[in-house]
Amino acid sequence: MNVKQVWSVYWSAAGATRQVTEHLAEELAKALDCPKKTVDFTPPAARQQTYSFGEGDLVVVGSPTYAGKLPNKILPDFQTKLAGGGALAVAAVTFGNRSFDNSLAELCATLEADGFRTVAGGAFVCRHAFTDVMAPGRPNAGDLAEIAAFAAEIADKVRAAETVPAAVTVEGDAAAPYYVPKGVDGQPAKFLKAKPVTDMEKCTRCGTCVKLCPVGSIDAADVSSVPGVCIKCQACVRGCPAGAKSFDDAAFLSHVAMLEQNFTAPKANRTFL
């Protein structure tokens, strides 16, 4: 099959999914000797329009894993704002060293329903958004080399195909429920309403957090106020240049502690063709 354009399309609040998706798309573009374009699906304004693709396009679509699936507040945009038009697609999810569970299966199913033809899928380990203890430094050089090798395999598959390949088979159940986060006591950790707190002695009122929030929930006039929904993405915490943002919710912190106690052993990336 002849690919004329590679696309990198991603939703990446904390930045790791962007890195993985961009690297995979760049390596595919090199292997297929064609240009690459990028759609950053993260800012709310970017999800106000529909992006249309078609034959001759190979679209790498990236998303982080949230509670074992795609982020529930962003899933409707993946379902309605991407029009495949018969384009080939590679599904890429990232996960913070616990498990990708059903996120890759859900992304593949979503893309197929959007009119894409999925030819490959991968789940890649990245530093957990909640803590630096889980998968620190990942994706590292070894991960990036694995992604490059995966891109070469995808390119070989696409070049060898005379017709559109069957949809890729990946692990997981797209219809499965979300993972229930637990605390150190083994009981469900209920932190749905938790929101970041701001140390106003550190805060410089620069507004970076307002710009970074991927759901537009932080009040520009008072950055300590979060009147909108918080999806716990950590964009404001990770991106605050003054280190003024954090979470102090007891249930949230208990869940983070549980993750650190049980999921620090390095996990492997998984790829499917």
Side-chain angles (χ1 to χ4, degrees), residues 8 38 95 122 162 171 196 218 230:
S8 170
T38 295
F95 66 104
E162 296 182 359
E171 286 185 6
I218 299 175
C230 175

Side-chain angles (χ1 to χ4, degrees), residues 32 34 38 42 61-62 68 73 77 93 96 100 116 126 132 153 162 167 191 206 214 221 223 227 245 249 260 268:
L32 294 168
C34 60
T38 295
T42 315
V61 182
K73 296 298 183 183
D77 294 319
V93 299
F100 64 94
F116 292 94
C126 295
D132 291 340
E153 291 181 309
E162 296 182 359
F191 51 85
C206 67
V223 296
K245 294 283 187 180
D249 181 86
E260 293 175 344

Side-chain angles (χ1 to χ4, degrees), residues 86-148:
L88 302 181
V90 177
V93 299
T94 58
F95 66 104
N97 206 62
R98 185 190 65 80
S99 175
F100 64 94
D101 290 332
N102 301 295
S103 60
L104 184 58
E106 185 173 37
L107 181 55
C108 286
T110 298
L111 293 174
E112 287 285 336
D114 287 344
F116 292 94
R117 301 293 177 258
T118 54
V119 296
F124 303 96
V125 181
C126 295
R127 180 207 64 200
H128 202 293
F130 292 174
T131 172
D132 291 340
V133 174
M134 296 171 65
R138 298 185 73 179
N140 55 31
D143 295 317
L144 296 179
E146 284 186 41
I147 292 170

Side-chain angles (χ1 to χ4, degrees), residues 42-60:
T42 315
R47 302 193 303 277
Q48 297 303 306
Q49 68 180 86
T50 298
Y51 299 90
S52 297
F53 306 93
E55 294 184 8
D57 290 330
L58 175 55
V59 188
V60 183

Side-chain angles (χ1 to χ4, degrees), residues 171-257:
E171 286 185 6
D173 177 2
Y178 281 87
Y179 160 80
V180 177
K182 295 180 180 180
V184 292
D185 60 0
Q187 298 303 307
K190 299 179 181 180
F191 51 85
L192 185 63
K193 295 183 179 181
K195 295 183 178 184
V197 294
T198 305
D199 183 340
M200 296 309 295
E201 292 186 358
K202 293 181 179 180
C203 178
T204 64
R205 284 80 168 173
C206 67
T208 298
C209 57
V210 177
K211 298 174 184 176
L212 289 177
C213 181
V215 288
S217 292
I218 299 175
D219 187 348
D222 176 7
V223 296
S224 67
S225 175
V226 186
V229 65
C230 175
I231 60 173
K232 322 299 181 287
C233 70
Q234 309 300 302
C236 64
V237 175
R238 294 284 182 182
C240 177
K245 294 283 187 180
S246 64
F247 279 78
D248 64 0
D249 181 86
F252 174 82
L253 295 177
S254 180
H255 175 57
V256 174

